[in-house]
Structure formats: structure tokens, C-alpha cells
Amino acid sequence: MVFDARGKELAVGNHVRYVDTGTIGEIVDLKTENGIDWVNLKKTGLWYRSNLVELLDEKDLKKQSFDDGDDEIDIEALKEKALDLENIELDSNVAEGGG
């Protein structure tokens, strides 16, 4: 048995959130190595320590469709887009000094 950060049992097909970055994904594999439990997420293809993910309830899964047909929300991609928009605003010449 593999458990999340809150002690809830995890299974293949569950959706979880990686607590450090907010990445959300579906579990496609589980393993235990050297006494450490791991989950593999479909979205990233990466392994995450199970004690660093949270099992999501149906109410937590507010799916939104994107043009690429992917129904999972990528929080990191949204953060990067927001940062890019901030950088564009700072880089524009709208705030030139008077002279």
C-alpha cells in the first residue's frame, strides 16, 4: 500500500497534486524502493515521493479543456505564462522618464 501526504491510500488512476509545485496528474504506476513509496504521473512522466503528493477528490478536479485536447490543468505552465506577461510589461517602454 502507498499513501499520500495526508495518509490516504493511493492507487493507479487516482489524481494527485504535487505539494511543492502544484502539478496535478493521474497516477500511472506505483512502486516502493528502499522503503520509499513513489508515484509516477502521466502528465510529466516523472516519479514523485508519495508523501509529497495529495490525493484529489472529484470536487478538486475542475477540468478545463484546452486546444491540445489535454483535460489536465498544468499549474506550472500557467505560472510561467503569468510571469512572462509580467516581464513583457516591465520590458516595455511605457514608463520612460521625463526630460
Side-chain angles (χ1 to χ4, degrees), residues 32-98:
T32 302
E33 259 184 25
N34 301 321
I36 299 172
D37 296 324
W38 299 87
V39 297
N40 185 273
L41 300 187
K42 180 179 179 180
K43 180 79 176 175
T44 62
L46 300 174
W47 289 93
Y48 299 85
R49 290 178 73 145
S50 69
N51 65 340
L52 298 177
V53 300
E54 296 175 325
L55 180 64
L56 297 176
D57 295 332
E58 284 298 317
K59 65 182 179 186
D60 295 328
L61 292 175
K62 295 181 180 169
K63 292 190 176 188
Q64 182 176 354
S65 293
F66 295 96
D67 292 340
D68 62 3
D70 187 1
D71 285 340
E72 293 186 32
I73 298 171
D74 187 346
I75 300 298
E76 287 303 305
L78 293 175
K79 287 180 183 176
E80 288 178 34
K81 286 180 185 177
L83 185 59
D84 287 344
L85 290 175
E86 288 176 19
N87 289 337
I88 288 171
E89 186 174 314
L90 292 174
D91 289 341
S92 67
N93 293 320
V94 294
E96 294 183 60

